[in-house]
Amino acid sequence: MRIIARFEKGEAVRFVSHLDIQRTFQRAFRRANIPLAYSQGFNPHPQLSFATALALGYTSEAEWFDVKLAEDMAPERFQEAVNAVLPTGFRILEAQAAEEKLPALTALMAASSHEVDFILPVSLSAESVISAFDAMAGGEIFVEKRTKGGMKTVDIRPMLLHYSFSQTADSLKLSVFGVSDAKGSLNIDLLLGALSDKIPGEFSYRVHKNTIYSLDGRVMPQKPVFAC
Amino acid sequence: MDFQLLDKILSSVEKPARYMGGELNMTEKKDAELRFALAFPDVYEIGMSHLGSRILYNVLNMREDTICERVYAPWPDMEKALRENDMPLFTLETKRVLKECDVIGFSLLYEMCYTNILTMLDLSGIPFRAAERGDDMPLIVCGGPCACNPEPLAPFADAFLLGDGEELISEFADAVLAAKRQGLSKQELLVILSKIEGIYVPSFYEPVYDDNGLFIRMERANDAVPEKISRRVLKDLEHAPYLGKPIVPYMSIVHDRIALELFRGCTRGCRFCQAGFIYRPIRERKRETVMEQARALIGCTGYDEVSLFSLSSGDYSEIHELVPEIIDEFEKKRVSISFPSLRIDSFLKDDLEKMQSVRKAGLTFAPEAGTQRLRDVINKGVSEEDLLRSAKDAFESGWNSVKLYFMIGLPTETEEDLLGIADLARKVSELFYSMPKEKRGKGLRLAVSASSFVPKPFTPFQWEPQDYKETLIEKQKFLRAALKGIRGVEFAYHAPDISVLEAVFARGDRRLADVMERAYQSGARFDSWDEHYKPEAWSEAFETVGIDPSQYANRRRVPGEALPWGHIDMLVTEDYLKLELKRAHAAKTTKDCRKGCNGCFGEKYADYCKI
Ligand code: SF4
């Protein structure tokens, strides 16, 4: 059977790399005695795939994996059994049985939302960050992107679907909706790097991924319509 | 700890998982009466692969009164980040700075990690020299195989723990705790420690040199401290604590699998091998115990590979029962099995075929020398026929990747022995290609690796000179030329500079501490890594301190002359080592002592060995 699950990557494990997460789940499945299905062939491996690779240092409540089991198992029981053995920082938040013919997760996803928490030096006001961002979003946003053929300059503005700032006395948060599909995703680090180039003084930030959306609401929540 | 700053630092360094902790099965303690920092002077992925310190982690954390936390040498990028941000080095578990620990215990696995000890102390604001550390500073202790010649580190450490640590570490912890409760001074504690079997307190001993700077004897501060400090032997391995619930790292480490220790010690007596002498006698675990441990460890870690981890696992008395049993029981869980040190004369084709049904890893053979004569000199009981037969079996079972390990610069080596290496490689290669295509794998990968011989204390070769660096380089070149044109061969060798430095420190005396400190100050770090090794830092340090490294590396010692490690008793007698040296020069082999005792412990410790 096929199970699709959403999990959280918390504070304690935000520096765990994508490759290491795959291993973490494989080991957790073995500890929990989950009957994994293995691929045929010379070097059999479990059929486990992830929707996206989260950038190092981010936290998230929208990580998704897709796994095949050799025997049927109630998704709730799967969730419970795996959560009982996962290391601190990882937790499955929902698990659902999926039909075999459902496309892969990467084919389903369409957009994602992130929340950015700014840590500003005293010399930098929240207002100046907001207005710089507004100005930047008013035109093209060129960034240097590493591709197979070397560094390339690309405009990432079309990937930015919507954004909004929220501000309190001691915090500045940005929520960003961006394209995230099989062809590519809005890179938050590059976006903020471009912002940083337009601002005097250095800021740092923390990123949390909130949601991955699908186009039609299958498996993941449906992508909202943005008027921007 | 400034967590926001830590965050910033971790975001900026390579592989932050090295410093972050929080792995599965990490101790959940936050604090305890005795704070023990288990320090490993190399990077996380190497330190976490070391079985001994993982056992000690379990033993110490089993105690309610103790918290044991890990700390590894920061990679140069992390060191830089810590310095730039004025942040001290911290433990992985609770992010405690080392100064706030009662004990810092360093594991000494390799001489070329020594400078990292200084980095770790430096980044913690702890003075290097024991004499400069007051009672407010943690106690610095060292253990592990390199502690058998403690002298080059003697000025830095308060004490050394010699031999098996399972029992000793607890007795040590008891003593430190008692002293803490009674409010004893460090000096008073050291006196108590010096009376525990297996603990060496270097400040109670003073080396004496002659006018030419040659070490002539060790003087004791008083009669209360033992003349000879003997290592500890864990007599009952069967009931000794093992790994408990071991930590499962997130990032991949060098030895990323479950280690099953079948036995400790080795009976073969290869004359260059320090481990073969300093871990005697051989002590086995029962097969049921090994299987029980395997079950428990797979269950609590989820690892998909176990490795049979002993000095020569193939010698395990029940190896032909154990391997199939492991395969049968764990195959359905898709757990595979590997041997880190396969002896070519001690496994059977059947076992090979079973192993293959699970996963095909590379095969490793270590003939060490190219001719039978030289193999007799070093007492490596492996013949060419054995090797070729095993290789044939392996090829027939579908293997096509083989590693051959050799050493160059061995005592009595000649050109003929080097040519013998190429000869052996050629025969293995021809064997592979002479087999019908359908019966063998596709292309052969024959890795021939030549390391440089480093004479080590407590081996029969402890008196032997090492080849000069220039000679080693010439021999490498010669061998490379001889290997040319052999199908499938890839040749790898070690940087001779580093082997020379290793030889200096392996048989060094206390004055080398000055050299080491000096080299550290000029930037020496991670000396075994080619990209970090700084030859100028070392040559300058030797010069400034006025020490000629070749006196240590290339001088032949006369059996009977005073040795800087002479006050350490690793149980195998000096008489036995002398006898073995003689036999070596006569190219006479000594039998594996599973077949009958050779008397290596002499009379004093005869009852330590139950063989
Ligand atoms: S005492 Fe005898 S049997 Fe025991 S390790 Fe030494 S030589 Fe071998």
Side-chain angles (χ1 to χ4, degrees):
Chain A
M1 81 175 290
R2 183 174 172 191
I3 285 187
I4 288 179
R6 178 170 66 92
F7 67 95
E8 167 185 75
K9 187 188 184 194
E11 200 59 39
V13 293
R14 62 197 194 87
F15 288 114
V16 176
S17 76
H18 184 62
L19 200 73
D20 297 343
I21 293 175
Q22 295 181 337
R23 241 196 331 256
T24 299
F25 275 95
Q26 284 179 24
R27 287 175 183 158
F29 294 152
R30 186 170 286 104
R31 291 194 296 278
N33 284 314
I34 303 293
L36 293 188
Y38 279 76
S39 65
Q40 301 292 312
F42 183 63
N43 204 350
H45 50 86
Q47 287 163 282
L48 170 67
S49 58
F50 289 76
T52 52
L54 191 70
L56 212 61
Y58 291 16
T59 53
S60 169
E61 55 194 285
E63 297 306 293
W64 292 82
F65 68 76
D66 182 344
V67 67
K68 290 221 172 78
L69 306 189
E71 292 161 30
D72 281 358
M73 189 173 187
E76 307 76 52
R77 234 182 29 87
F78 171 86
Q79 180 177 349
E80 211 177 293
V82 178
N83 277 344
V85 299
L86 274 176
T88 321
F90 289 108
R91 197 159 49 101
I92 295 182
L93 302 170
E94 59 174 295
Q96 47 188 292
E99 283 177 43
E100 291 301 323
K101 58 180 197 301
L102 188 81
L105 290 171
T106 36
L108 290 172
M109 54 187 227
S112 62
S113 68
H114 289 85
E115 187 161 277
V116 180
D117 224 322
F118 285 92
I119 303 154
L120 300 178
V122 270
S123 59
L124 203 59
S125 72
E127 287 71 24
S128 64
V129 173
I130 298 173
S131 61
F133 197 97
D134 287 339
M136 176 175 83
E140 291 159 319
I141 308 175
F142 285 108
V143 298
E144 291 279 309
K145 221 175 175 171
R146 200 188 310 267
T147 65
K148 279 194 198 98
M151 296 305 274
K152 246 174 101 181
T153 307
V154 289
D155 174 19
I156 56 169
R157 180 63 185 86
M159 311 274 279
L160 174 62
L161 299 173
H162 181 79
Y163 70 91
S164 62
F165 277 98
S166 64
Q167 197 185 344
T168 64
D170 53 1
S171 82
L172 175 66
K173 285 186 179 13
L174 163 68
S175 91
V176 192
F177 288 83
V179 171
S180 189
D181 59 26
K183 290 200 290 298
S185 300
L186 174 67
N187 184 317
I188 306 294
D189 285 334
L190 287 180
L191 181 71
L192 295 175
L195 173 67
S196 146
D197 288 344
K198 300 191 166 50
I199 294 178
E202 256 182 75
F203 61 83
S204 56
Y205 55 87
R206 296 284 295 265
V207 184
H208 179 76
K209 186 178 204 165
N210 289 317
T211 316
I212 294 187
Y213 300 97
S214 63
L215 209 52
D216 51 9
R218 267 193 299 176
V219 180
M220 298 145 176
Q222 187 169 7
K223 179 185 159 193
V225 183
F226 298 108
C228 89
Chain B
M1 174 65 53
D2 177 347
F3 282 96
Q4 207 157 41
L5 183 60
L6 176 63
D7 228 75
K8 200 183 120 198
I9 292 176
L10 288 182
S11 320
S12 73
V13 298
E14 189 191 319
K15 302 190 182 168
R18 283 170 171 162
Y19 317 101
M20 124 194 131
E23 310 95 319
L24 182 78
N25 298 338
M26 183 181 90
T27 181
E28 278 163 22
K29 289 180 196 174
K30 294 283 165 263
D31 207 353
E33 203 182 346
L34 181 71
R35 294 171 177 171
F36 196 115
L38 200 58
F40 200 96
D42 208 326
V43 270
Y44 175 89
E45 46 274 47
I46 293 177
M48 277 301 287
S49 303
H50 174 232
L51 183 62
S53 44
R54 311 234 5 213
I55 296 176
L56 296 184
Y57 184 80
N58 178 39
V59 172
L60 286 168
N61 278 319
M62 271 161 52
R63 299 170 60 106
E64 272 187 16
D65 52 22
T66 306
I67 174 172
C68 174
E69 306 182 63
R70 297 160 298 152
V71 58
Y72 300 93
W75 195 244
D77 68 335
M78 180 64 167
E79 182 190 344
K80 188 159 165 267
L82 290 172
R83 284 187 199 280
E84 279 172 4
N85 291 286
D86 242 331
M87 178 174 272
L89 190 63
F90 51 86
T91 62
L92 270 58
E93 276 73 5
T94 65
K95 313 284 180 285
R96 202 187 310 276
V97 300
L98 301 195
K99 247 190 199 170
E100 284 166 23
C101 299
D102 299 296
V103 179
I104 305 175
F106 285 97
S107 300
L108 308 179
L109 270 292
Y110 185 30
E111 291 84 356
M112 293 302 90
C113 293
Y114 286 178
T115 49
N116 293 341
I117 296 175
L118 298 186
T119 312
M120 294 168 83
L121 294 177
D122 200 6
L123 287 172
S124 305
I126 298 174
F128 295 158
R129 306 262 163 177
E132 286 163 23
R133 290 191 296 262
D135 282 12
D136 57 330
M137 285 287 167
L139 201 68
I140 311 291
V141 299
C142 299
C146 292
C148 71
N149 176 17
E151 290 309 298
L153 292 173
F156 305 129
D158 294 299
F160 290 85
L161 274 53
L162 308 170
D164 297 321
E166 284 94 338
E167 294 166 345
L168 182 55
I169 199 83
S170 255
E171 285 169 37
F172 168 80
D174 286 342
V176 177
L177 254 177
K180 199 176 172 182
R181 286 178 188 149
Q182 293 164 38
L184 299 188
S185 70
K186 188 177 278 187
Q187 203 55 30
E188 288 166 310
L189 170 61
L190 289 177
V191 171
I192 294 170
L193 291 177
S194 72
K195 300 203 161 86
I196 299 177
E197 189 189 356
I199 298 186
Y200 168 51
V201 179
S203 54
F204 295 152
Y205 300 78
E206 192 59 42
V208 184
Y209 307 92
D210 70 7
D211 296 341
N212 299 321
L214 221 57
F215 171 83
I216 46 174
R217 70 171 179 279
M218 196 57 98
E219 254 165 29
R220 281 183 289 169
N222 55 63
D223 290 349
V225 298
E227 207 169 328
K228 281 217 160 200
I229 306 95
S230 51
R231 81 169 147 106
R232 282 297 285 272
V233 173
L234 173 71
K235 295 207 173 123
D236 183 6
L237 192 67
E238 180 73 16
H239 298 100
Y242 194 48
L243 290 169
K245 277 187 171 188
I247 292 172
V248 183
Y250 281 114
M251 67 182 291
S252 63
I253 59 171
V254 177
H255 192 81
D256 212 358
R257 53 192 74 88
I258 290 167
L260 298 175
E261 189 189 27
L262 309 182
F263 57 88
R264 199 167 295 173
C266 182
T267 51
R268 301 202 154 231
C270 303
R271 293 178 179 130
F272 56 86
C273 177
Q274 190 182 49
F277 289 92
I278 66 170
Y279 292 114
R280 289 178 175 210
I282 197 155
R283 290 144 287 165
E284 285 201 349
R285 281 198 171 90
K286 289 205 189 96
R287 177 155 54 100
E288 300 92 81
T289 314
V290 173
M291 284 305 293
E292 238 168 70
Q293 289 177 340
R295 259 170 238 131
L297 289 167
I298 292 170
C300 70
T301 63
Y303 266 117
D304 63 355
E305 190 177 348
V306 296
S307 96
L308 304 185
F309 197 88
S310 304
L311 284 170
S312 75
S313 297
D315 288 348
Y316 183 58
S317 51
E318 296 182 278
I319 192 72
H320 298 300
E321 289 80 36
L322 179 69
V323 170
E325 195 173 337
I326 291 182
I327 291 171
D328 289 347
E329 180 161 343
F330 301 117
E331 199 169 19
K332 29 183 191 319
K333 285 196 129 187
R334 294 181 194 264
V335 174
S336 67
I337 174 173
S338 69
F339 292 78
S341 60
L342 259 185
R343 304 291 297 228
I344 58 179
D345 50 352
S346 56
F347 66 97
L348 290 177
K349 198 178 167 189
D350 289 356
D351 288 344
L352 275 181
E353 260 156 22
K354 287 211 190 72
M355 280 170 66
Q356 201 206 331
S357 72
V358 183
R359 185 186 290 176
K360 200 176 295 180
L363 270 190
T364 302
F365 299 131
E368 306 291 0
T371 59
Q372 193 57 47
R373 183 202 66 83
L374 191 52
R375 284 194 294 272
D376 289 347
V377 168
I378 63 175
N379 202 42
K380 187 87 193 183
V382 157
S383 70
E384 186 175 307
E385 295 79 70
D386 289 340
L387 185 134
L388 293 177
R389 189 175 359 94
S390 312
K392 186 160 177 266
D393 286 348
F395 293 152
E396 278 172 359
S397 310
W399 256 272
N400 63 345
S401 163
V402 173
K403 276 191 199 134
L404 295 179
Y405 282 119
F406 294 97
M407 231 180 254
I408 56 174
L410 284 164
T412 77
E413 184 185 60
T414 64
E415 246 175 44
E416 200 183 313
D417 299 304
L418 295 173
L419 290 173
I421 295 178
D423 212 42
L424 210 50
R426 182 172 303 109
K427 283 183 180 149
V428 171
S429 169
E430 278 167 2
L431 185 73
F432 181 86
Y433 286 106
S434 70
M435 285 168 54
K437 270 208 177 97
E438 59 287 357
K439 277 189 115 180
R440 55 162 165 89
K442 262 192 217 128
L444 172 70
R445 290 195 56 198
L446 181 59
V448 176
S449 144
S451 62
S452 304
F453 167 65
V454 178
K456 294 270 163 126
F458 301 103
T459 68
F461 291 159
Q462 65 176 349
W463 295 281
E464 287 289 320
Q466 187 184 45
D467 271 345
Y468 280 93
K469 187 174 103 185
E470 295 68 29
T471 316
L472 289 172
I473 294 173
E474 255 169 54
K475 287 184 174 177
Q476 287 174 346
K477 272 197 199 140
F478 181 81
L479 183 54
R480 165 175 293 277
L483 286 166
K484 218 167 173 187
I486 303 176
R487 269 178 98 183
V489 164
E490 292 159 31
F491 181 47
Y493 51 93
H494 295 223
D497 266 19
I498 292 166
S499 309
V500 172
L501 207 52
E502 187 187 337
V504 172
F505 276 89
R507 294 186 296 174
D509 55 39
R510 235 175 245 203
R511 291 170 300 182
L512 285 175
D514 301 342
V515 178
M516 187 178 140
E517 193 173 337
R518 180 86 205 180
Y520 169 80
Q521 251 118 30
S522 322
R525 305 280 190 285
F526 285 98
D527 302 290
S528 61
W529 299 73
D530 285 344
E531 72 253 51
H532 297 304
Y533 173 65
K534 288 205 175 77
E536 334 76 54
W538 284 103
S539 51
E540 191 255 359
F542 279 111
E543 213 164 291
T544 321
V545 178
I547 278 196
D548 173 9
S550 73
Q551 275 297 311
Y552 295 83
N554 312 112
R555 189 171 65 84
R556 181 183 297 281
R557 275 82 166 159
V558 202
E561 84 168 67
L563 299 168
W565 54 93
H567 55 307
I568 304 294
D569 185 357
M570 295 304 275
L571 308 195
V572 172
T573 63
E574 187 162 317
D575 280 345
Y576 183 75
L577 297 179
K578 278 186 200 155
L579 180 74
E580 278 293 290
L581 178 68
K582 254 204 202 127
R583 294 177 70 87
H585 282 283
K588 274 198 188 139
T589 59
T590 296
K591 68 176 183 301
D592 183 330
C593 61
R594 275 186 200 256
K595 301 191 182 98
C597 178
N598 296 313
C600 75
F601 285 162
E603 268 166 37
K604 189 166 162 209
Y605 299 111
D607 63 330
Y608 272 63
C609 189
K610 298 277 177 285
I611 291 183

